[in-house]
């Protein structure tokens, strides 16, 4: 009535001030809600939930009154300035968000989908919140075409053929518009300006001072000798028919295309000039903006389809019950509360982020068409006196760009403060401190898992005992026989160290590890499923029948699996290929896997409606981006004093720091039960090869190299006669003769490696299992290189080198000349190499390790070690007759098998 009464009395000069004052109070309530600590997981009888009821009640009471004012304004009852209309629309939408906060997620979803019927400028709105953290990036690009924001329909102009020609004739080549058919709604006409230049003489009429018309100027003799083909003025504009069929959009031989913008892009590529997507027409554009009764009318119509009246009825009782609304009734235990809080807070944060983008675009937009935001001024003179100088004239004054941004910033400041408060709330949930990340997981012994078959094993549970068996098995006098399997060509074979299943079972029974043979076999099967060991039988190898006859398929042998297992990739496609690498199975990252991993916990947090809001916001992708960009705690404290101990700097190297950063990222995904994991990718480029003993230039030769990633201190040699399974061999390349003083020759070989960042390690890379840490200590930190010259009879070693990777950081590269030392001959060759490091995001398999599912998993994610053994066995395979029963007295598996080239 505060608005209706002045309207009836003819005092429209005070109506705008009343509306703006109510809208300002409503907008400021958002900032108060941010301080109420009311989250989606709080029950309806908690103090945090009740603390926000005052703001909810006020919002529910005021939004419908402000909406009624907009209807009266658009209906012509009174006039409002552009600024007042913006403030009112902002207040209504913020009020709906406040009333629906944590209660009606479907209304929040509708609020984002139903944009206001009002001008919006996302580029100008970005200036209002670009200082805030951007979680979801808004790209005003459709199908990779800049300037297209409405699927191509912003070029739709209601005009005739001659009018379109007149509009485009004097334009630039590539300007175009789309004309609808007057009778068939599925037919359009594409009119575009070509790059032709009109050659038709233009008749010119001149008027003298007396007003007499001169004769038409005749073309000169030189013009009469112009090209035979004359381009008329109207021919510079061409027209093409576009039809919308059941299969899509078609234009002549182009199509069908699913969207109009894809068809326009295909037509643009076929023309000798490009269509100007960044230059839409200005005159005659078909606009529907401003035709609705209110900027929010479409929003309220959508909300009316699903909202219930009791949603807006907030009683003032001491204990408010909000059940059976939005399917939020759930039975929660204390175990899942932390995850629900994390996902609930993040869902609310990305909703506010998206709402912030929408409302900032609304506040910062400048409406060039005054009629779209204000009522027609017919009859305005009758209601306002000539000397009126109230809110309307003040709000209608022309403002420069800086003043517009300043006014818009004032409008949305409470909303920005609300968003900032939610970002502060969630930072400790998704990016905690090291003390919360490096907590030891729940441990289960291998014996208890085997004995009690009903023990529930979660992925977060850490099963210990497998590496302890390996550590005891390799001790001196254990009695377990280790044999070396050589696969590959005779002169270039790979060695794999194996031990027999029967020997392991006997040892486990004899040393009291297992009660009987059946118990020992169950423990070995459990170790297989955990990929501590990997079985290799004669059926897995393409070997001669003579070998298979002496080694039946029923006899199983095992190889040890390094948690930091390195894979030498054959191509770039292998960087993200499915594989069983280390002690986990990895899948290529996909949007479906990301969405599926979040669905269960989001649905349990807020029901199907919250899941729908999460899907609209692409919450899984947004959460993945947020976790990938989270800075570890030691980087947040950057800028302080350097860590020193006894005069030495304790800062880690760039390589170690990169590993630590992504191990921290993996721990964030693991805390939220998400499958995303980082894998390290190392690329080695062999650029040049130079002989320092030949100043006049080296002769042509055919060279190749063996490369391997290893841990620092490993003494295993790398040669063409026997090498490890994780090594790579480049193809022989002919290096032509080079001239000049110490001129390098072009080599041009490329090798790629990848290795996982294992589970159940802290951010320093140390395992929570002491036995596993003693056997496999940290990631590979050194690149081993051996270069050979390919010859007819036997290859000649040019030299080898160990390259330290300490100075290599994530996203960076190192390039240097490396001296190749060749035994007693010293250094005669130098190789120029370039090494780069990056990390790729993949999905780890989080399903249970049941024996029935292991075969299916092996088919989807083949083991990289077994795959390479099978491939090399086609070239040849044999096993050393002499076995090794007594190992050297060391518990270090890498040190023991280093001399055996495991």
């Amino acid at each position: 009535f505060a608005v209706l009464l002045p309207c009836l009395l003819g005092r429209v000069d005070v109506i705008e001030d009343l509306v703006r004052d109510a809208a300002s109070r409503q907008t400021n309530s958002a900032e108060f809600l941010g301080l109420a600590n009311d989250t989606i997981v709080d029950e309806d009888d908690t103090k945090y939930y009740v603390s926000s009821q005052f703001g909810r009640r006020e919002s529910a009471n005021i939004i419908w009154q402000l909406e009624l004012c907009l209807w009266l304004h658009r209906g012509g009852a009174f006039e409002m300035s552009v600024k007042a209309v913006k403030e009112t629309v902002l207040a209504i939408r913020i009020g709906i968000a406040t009333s629906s906060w944590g209660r009606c997620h479907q209304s929040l979803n509708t609020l984002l989908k139903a944009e206001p019927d009002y001008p919006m400028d996302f580029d100008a709105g970005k200036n209002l919140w670009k200082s805030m953290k951007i979680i979801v990036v808004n790209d005003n690009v459709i199908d990779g075409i800049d300037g297209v924001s409405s699927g191509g329909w912003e070029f739709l102009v209601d005009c005739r053929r001659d009018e379109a020609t007149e509009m485009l004739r004097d334009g630039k080549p590539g300007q175009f518009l789309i004309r609808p058919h007057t009778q068939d709604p599925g037919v359009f006409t594409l009119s575009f300006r070509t790059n032709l230049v009109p050659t038709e003489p233009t008749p010119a009429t001149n008027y003298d001072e007396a007003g007499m018309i001169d004769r038409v100027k005749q073309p000169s003799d030189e013009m009469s000798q112009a090209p035979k083909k004359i381009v008329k003025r109207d021919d510079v504009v061409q027209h093409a028919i576009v039809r919308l069929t059941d299969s899509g959009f078609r234009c002549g031989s182009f199509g069908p295309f699913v969207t109009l913008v894809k068809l326009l892009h295909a037509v643009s590529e076929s023309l000798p000039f490009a269509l100007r997507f960044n230059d839409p027409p200005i005159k005659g554009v078909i606009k529907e903006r401003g035709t609705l009764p209110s900027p929010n009318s479409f929003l309220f119509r959508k909300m009316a389809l699903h909202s219930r009246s009791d949603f807006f009825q907030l009683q003032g009782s001491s204990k408010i019950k909000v059940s059976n609304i939005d399917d939020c009734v759930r039975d929660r235990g204390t175990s899942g509360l932390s995850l629900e809080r994390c996902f609930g807070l993040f869902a609310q944060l990305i909703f506010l982020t998206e709402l912030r983008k929408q409302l900032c675009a609304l506040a910062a937009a400048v409406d060039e068409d005054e009629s779209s935001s204000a009522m027609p001024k017919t009859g305005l003179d009758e209601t306002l006196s000539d000397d009126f100088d109230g809110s309307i004239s003040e709000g209608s004054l022309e403002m420069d760009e800086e003043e517009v941004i300043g006014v818009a910033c004032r409008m949305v400041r409470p909303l920005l403060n609300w968003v900032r408060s939610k970002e502060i709330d969630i930072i400790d949930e998704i990016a905690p401190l090291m003390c919360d990340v490096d907590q030891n997981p729940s441990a289960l012994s291998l014996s208890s898992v085997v004995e009690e078959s009903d023990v529930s094993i979660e992925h977060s549970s850490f099963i210990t005992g497998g590496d302890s068996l390996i550590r005891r098995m390799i001790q001196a006098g254990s009695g377990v026989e280790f044999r070396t399997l050589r696969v590959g060509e005779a002169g270039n074979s790979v060695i794999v160290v194996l031990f027999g299943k029967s020997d392991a079972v006997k040892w486990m029974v004899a040393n009291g590890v297992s009660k009987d043979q059946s118990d020992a076999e169950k423990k070995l099967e459990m170790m297989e499923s955990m990929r501590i060991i990997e079985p290799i039988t004669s059926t897995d190898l393409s070997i001669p029948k003579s070998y298979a006859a002496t080694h039946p398929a029923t006899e199983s042998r095992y190889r040890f699996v390094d948690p930091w297992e390195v894979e030498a990739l054959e191509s770039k496609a292998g960087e993200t290929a499915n594989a069983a690498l280390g002690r986990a199975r990895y899948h290529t990252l996909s949007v479906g896997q990301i969405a599926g991993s979040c669905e269960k916990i989001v649905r349990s947090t807020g029901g199907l409606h919250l899941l729908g809001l999460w899907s609209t916001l692409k919450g899984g992708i947004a959460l993945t981006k947020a976790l990938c960009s989270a800075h570890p705690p030691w980087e947040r404290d950057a800028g302080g004093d350097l860590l020193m101990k006894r005069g030495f700097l304790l800062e880690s190297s760039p390589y170690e720091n990169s590993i630590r950063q992504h191990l921290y990222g993996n721990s964030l995904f693991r805390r939220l039960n998400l499958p995303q994991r980082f894998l390290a990718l190392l690329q080695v480029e062999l650029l040049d090869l130079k002989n320092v003993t030949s100043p006049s230039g080296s002769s042509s030769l055919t060279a190749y190299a063996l490369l391997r990633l290893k841990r620092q201190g490993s003494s295993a040699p790398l040669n063409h006669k026997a090498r490890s399974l994780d090594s790579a061999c480049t193809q022989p390349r002919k290096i032509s003769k080079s001239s000049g003083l110490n001129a390098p020759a072009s080599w041009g070989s490329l090798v790629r490696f990848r290795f996982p960042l294992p589970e159940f390690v802290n951010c320093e890379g140390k395992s929570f299992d002491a036995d596993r840490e003693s056997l496999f200590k940290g990631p590979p930190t050194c690149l081993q290189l051996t270069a050979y010259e390919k010859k007819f009879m036997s290859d000649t070693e040019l030299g080898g080198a160990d390259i330290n990777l300490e100075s290599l950081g994530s996203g960076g590269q190192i390039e240097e000349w490396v001296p190749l030392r060749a035994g007693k001959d010293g250094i005669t060759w130098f190789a120029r190499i370039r090494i780069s490091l990056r990390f790729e995001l993949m999905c780890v398999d989080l399903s249970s390790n049941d024996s029935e599912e292991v075969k299916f998993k092996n088919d989807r994610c083949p083991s990289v070690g077994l795959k390479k053994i099978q491939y090399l066995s086609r070239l040849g395979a044999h096993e050393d007759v002499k076995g090794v029963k007594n190992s050297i007295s060391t518990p270090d598996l890498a040190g023991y098998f280093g001399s055996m080239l495991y």
Side-chain angles (χ1 to χ4, degrees):
F1 295 102
V3 174
L4 294 178
L5 185 59
C7 184
L8 295 176
L9 296 177
R11 294 296 308 276
V12 294
D13 54 321
V14 299
I15 293 179
E16 180 173 324
D17 293 333
L18 293 174
V19 175
R20 292 182 62 184
D21 183 62
S24 178
R25 293 197 307 269
Q26 174 59 50
T27 305
N28 291 331
S29 66
E31 188 173 3
F32 301 145
L33 184 62
L35 302 176
N37 294 326
D38 183 12
T39 63
I40 193 174
V41 296
D42 294 325
E43 299 292 349
D44 56 1
D45 56 349
T46 60
K47 59 181 180 180
Y48 303 111
Y49 188 87
V50 177
S51 65
S52 65
Q53 293 310 300
F54 176 79
R56 295 176 185 273
R57 186 183 301 109
E58 291 295 321
S59 299
N61 291 334
I62 200 66
I63 55 177
W64 69 270
Q65 301 180 46
L66 292 175
E67 178 64 16
L68 180 59
C69 293
L70 291 179
W71 281 63
L72 294 175
H73 158 65
R74 284 257 175 116
F78 54 84
E79 176 66 5
M80 291 175 59
S81 65
V82 175
K83 185 190 303 183
V85 174
K86 285 184 179 180
E87 291 180 351
T88 307
V89 175
L90 290 174
I92 293 173
R93 291 185 167 258
I94 293 177
I96 294 175
T98 303
S99 302
S100 308
W101 188 251
R103 303 175 67 234
C104 187
H105 307 115
Q106 193 169 2
S107 297
L108 300 179
N109 195 4
T110 306
L111 180 62
L112 295 179
K113 292 182 178 180
E115 293 185 351
D117 180 35
Y118 206 81
M120 300 178 67
D121 189 346
F122 285 96
D123 292 333
K126 187 176 181 180
N127 296 328
L128 301 180
W129 50 271
K130 63 182 180 181
S131 60
M132 312 288 284
K133 182 178 179 181
I134 301 174
I135 294 181
V136 184
V137 180
N138 173 64
D139 294 327
N140 230 358
V141 177
I142 293 182
D143 295 321
I145 305 175
D146 295 335
V148 178
S149 59
S150 300
W153 297 109
E154 64 266 36
F155 297 91
L156 191 64
V157 177
D158 188 9
C159 62
R160 297 188 303 272
R161 180 187 179 97
D162 55 344
E163 294 175 343
T165 303
E166 184 68 24
M167 294 172 60
L168 298 173
R169 180 191 295 137
D170 299 328
K172 299 178 182 179
Q175 287 184 333
F176 70 98
L177 56 85
I178 301 171
R179 298 185 288 113
H181 197 274
T182 56
Q183 298 178 354
D184 191 349
V187 178
F188 307 89
T189 303
L190 172 63
S191 302
F192 55 92
R193 173 65 163 85
T194 65
N195 58 354
L196 298 177
V197 179
T199 59
E200 181 184 21
T202 304
T205 56
N206 297 328
Y207 294 86
D208 56 11
E209 296 179 357
M212 299 299 292
I213 301 178
D214 294 338
R215 64 180 179 87
V216 178
K217 294 184 178 181
Q218 300 294 334
S220 62
D221 295 338
E222 295 179 358
M223 292 296 295
S224 62
Q225 298 178 359
K228 296 181 180 179
K229 187 176 181 180
I230 297 177
V231 180
K232 298 181 180 180
R233 297 180 65 246
D234 292 345
D235 291 344
V236 298
V237 179
Q238 299 293 328
H239 309 271
I241 300 297
V242 176
R243 299 183 184 275
L244 176 58
T245 62
D246 295 337
S247 56
F249 291 89
R250 293 179 179 270
C251 181
S253 59
F254 298 96
F257 292 93
V258 179
T259 59
L260 174 63
V261 67
K262 291 185 178 181
L263 173 64
L264 296 176
H265 186 52
V267 173
S268 177
E269 291 180 345
S270 65
L271 296 174
F273 52 88
L275 295 180
R276 293 178 174 269
F277 292 97
N278 288 319
D279 193 7
I282 300 176
K283 299 180 180 179
V285 179
I286 300 177
K287 298 181 180 180
E288 296 182 357
R289 191 183 67 199
T291 60
L292 298 178
S294 165
N296 297 316
S297 59
F298 181 69
L299 169 62
F300 279 90
R301 289 171 186 170
K302 294 285 291 183
M303 291 178 59
L305 297 177
H306 65 80
S307 298
R308 296 170 52 179
S309 59
D310 57 351
F311 168 70
F312 295 99
Q313 296 175 0
L314 297 179
Q315 306 298 328
S317 60
S318 59
K319 197 170 185 180
I320 302 174
K321 297 296 183 180
V322 194
S323 59
N324 298 324
I325 294 180
D326 198 18
D327 300 333
C328 287
V329 178
R330 55 191 180 272
D331 295 330
R332 258 197 328 243
T334 57
S335 59
L337 183 60
S338 178
L339 281 180
E340 291 184 358
R341 177 177 174 81
C342 292
F343 278 85
L345 287 175
F346 191 80
Q348 292 179 327
L349 176 60
I350 58 177
F351 162 75
L352 287 178
T353 303
E354 202 68 22
L355 181 65
R356 177 184 64 183
K357 289 167 44 182
Q358 183 186 102
L359 299 187
C360 286
L362 174 66
V366 178
D367 190 9
E368 298 178 357
D369 189 2
E370 295 181 358
S371 62
S372 64
S373 59
M375 77 171 198
K377 297 187 178 181
T378 304
L380 186 60
D381 295 336
E382 289 82 358
T383 57
L384 297 180
S385 60
D386 296 336
D387 57 347
F388 173 71
D389 189 17
S391 302
I392 297 178
S393 60
E394 181 183 357
S396 302
L397 292 176
E398 294 185 0
M399 298 181 294
D400 57 6
E401 185 177 356
E402 293 184 358
E403 189 175 356
V404 171
I405 294 298
V407 172
C409 185
R410 178 189 59 80
M411 292 181 185
V412 298
R413 184 178 292 115
L415 176 63
L416 298 182
N417 292 337
W418 189 12
V419 178
R420 185 180 294 273
S421 65
K422 289 304 172 185
E423 289 181 346
I424 296 174
D425 289 342
I426 200 175
I427 188 64
D428 290 334
E429 299 291 339
I430 64 173
L433 298 177
M434 295 297 299
C435 58
D436 298 325
V437 172
D438 286 343
Q439 293 180 354
N440 292 336
S442 57
L444 298 174
S445 64
L446 184 64
S447 300
S448 62
V449 173
V450 173
E451 293 176 358
E452 302 179 16
S453 57
D454 58 342
V455 175
S456 59
I457 304 175
E458 300 179 355
H459 183 77
S460 58
S461 300
F462 187 28
I463 302 178
T464 61
D467 292 283
S468 176
L469 294 181
I470 296 176
R471 188 175 181 182
R472 296 173 57 186
M473 200 179 296
I474 65 174
Q475 294 296 320
S478 65
V480 180
E481 183 179 15
F482 296 93
R483 290 181 176 269
T484 55
L485 173 66
R486 298 178 182 267
V487 290
E489 298 177 350
N492 189 9
S493 60
V494 171
I495 289 182
V496 185
V497 178
L498 307 176
F499 67 95
K501 179 179 180 179
S502 58
D503 291 345
V505 170
K506 293 178 182 178
W507 176 85
M508 294 170 69
V509 175
N511 288 269
V513 177
S514 302
K515 300 178 181 179
D516 50 21
Q517 181 178 351
S518 176
D519 184 46
E521 291 177 351
K522 288 182 180 180
K523 289 185 178 180
L524 290 177
E525 290 179 1
M526 180 61 66
M527 294 172 64
E528 288 180 31
S529 63
M530 297 167 55
R531 286 190 53 80
I532 298 176
I533 56 178
E534 186 174 53
I536 298 178
T537 62
S538 58
T539 56
D540 298 327
L541 308 177
S542 301
I543 54 179
K545 295 182 179 179
S546 58
Y547 179 86
T550 57
H551 298 78
T554 55
E555 182 182 358
S556 297
R557 294 185 179 273
Y558 296 101
R559 76 176 186 98
F560 299 118
V561 179
D562 190 343
W564 303 84
E565 183 180 15
V566 178
E567 178 188 9
L569 302 174
E570 299 179 358
S571 63
K572 186 175 179 60
E575 294 180 353
T576 57
N578 295 356
L581 187 62
R583 297 189 178 178
R585 297 173 176 86
Y586 297 92
H587 304 274
T588 304
L589 184 67
S590 64
V591 178
Q593 287 182 325
I594 296 177
S597 61
C598 304
E599 179 178 354
K600 183 177 180 181
I601 184 64
V602 173
R603 185 171 180 177
S604 65
T605 303
L608 293 176
H609 294 161
L610 179 60
L611 183 60
L613 177 62
W614 181 271
S615 301
T616 300
L617 297 170
K618 298 181 179 179
I621 299 177
L623 180 58
T624 301
K625 290 182 179 179
L627 295 179
C628 290
S629 60
H631 293 284
W634 60 86
E635 288 191 356
R636 301 176 209 167
D637 299 334
D641 297 334
L642 297 178
L643 298 178
M644 305 291 293
K645 185 177 182 180
R646 297 180 181 179
F648 293 96
L649 184 64
L650 297 181
E651 296 291 333
S652 57
S653 64
Y655 180 78
E656 294 177 351
N657 192 46
S658 298
I659 299 292
R660 292 175 61 202
Q661 289 177 359
H662 292 85
L663 282 172
Y664 177 78
N666 284 357
S667 65
L668 298 184
F669 287 114
R670 191 182 304 114
R671 288 182 71 252
L672 299 180
N673 287 347
L674 297 177
Q676 294 91 314
R677 297 292 187 273
F678 285 105
L679 273 75
L681 293 172
L682 198 76
Q683 179 174 291
V684 182
E685 299 176 74
L686 304 177
L687 303 176
D688 299 317
L689 189 64
K690 181 172 65 174
N691 190 345
V692 295
T693 61
S694 300
S696 60
S698 59
S699 58
S700 60
L701 75 160
T702 301
Y704 68 93
L706 301 178
L707 299 100
R708 174 187 174 223
L709 286 178
K710 67 174 185 177
R711 295 180 176 89
Q712 200 73 21
S714 176
S715 59
L718 183 64
N719 53 62
H720 66 284
K721 295 183 179 179
R723 53 192 177 90
S724 59
L725 188 63
D726 56 359
S727 61
C729 180
T730 65
Q731 294 293 330
R733 299 287 296 270
K734 186 175 182 180
I735 303 177
S736 58
K737 182 179 179 180
S738 59
S739 59
L741 182 62
N742 295 333
S746 177
W747 194 342
S749 294
L750 179 66
V751 179
R752 298 181 179 89
F753 297 97
R754 71 170 176 175
F755 59 89
L757 306 182
E759 302 291 292
F760 306 113
V761 296
N762 59 15
C763 293
E764 302 294 334
K766 297 181 180 180
S767 175
F768 296 117
D769 187 354
D771 295 310
R772 172 174 150 182
E773 179 64 21
S774 63
L775 296 174
F776 310 100
K777 202 166 187 176
T781 56
C782 182
L783 175 66
Q784 189 176 7
L785 167 68
T786 305
Y788 284 90
E789 179 184 1
K790 185 73 174 179
K791 291 187 176 181
F792 179 72
M793 294 298 293
S794 61
D795 300 340
T796 303
E797 181 179 351
L798 301 179
D802 289 347
I803 301 126
N804 200 324
L805 303 177
E806 287 186 355
S807 59
L808 182 62
S810 176
Q813 62 181 21
I814 56 175
E815 182 176 337
E816 59 183 7
W817 284 96
V818 177
L820 304 180
R821 185 176 299 276
K824 299 180 180 180
D825 297 336
I827 300 174
T828 58
W829 289 89
F830 280 77
R832 185 163 69 95
I833 64 174
R834 181 188 298 133
I835 309 174
S836 58
L837 173 67
R838 62 186 179 89
F839 293 84
E840 191 72 30
L841 199 62
M842 297 187 68
C843 290
V844 69
D845 188 0
L846 297 180
S847 58
S848 59
N849 292 322
D850 296 337
S851 58
E852 299 178 357
E853 299 181 2
V854 170
K855 184 177 180 180
F856 175 72
K857 294 180 180 179
N858 292 337
D859 295 337
R860 291 187 58 192
C861 301
S863 170
V864 296
L866 184 59
K867 184 179 178 180
K868 189 169 185 178
I869 292 175
Q870 292 174 344
Y871 170 75
L872 293 176
S873 64
R874 302 171 187 172
L875 306 177
H878 69 278
E879 187 175 291
D880 290 346
V881 178
K882 185 177 179 181
V884 182
K885 290 188 177 182
N886 297 325
S887 64
I888 58 179
S889 57
T890 173
D892 185 8
L893 183 63
Y896 166 60
F897 287 117
S899 59
M900 302 177 62
L901 291 177
Y902 75 99

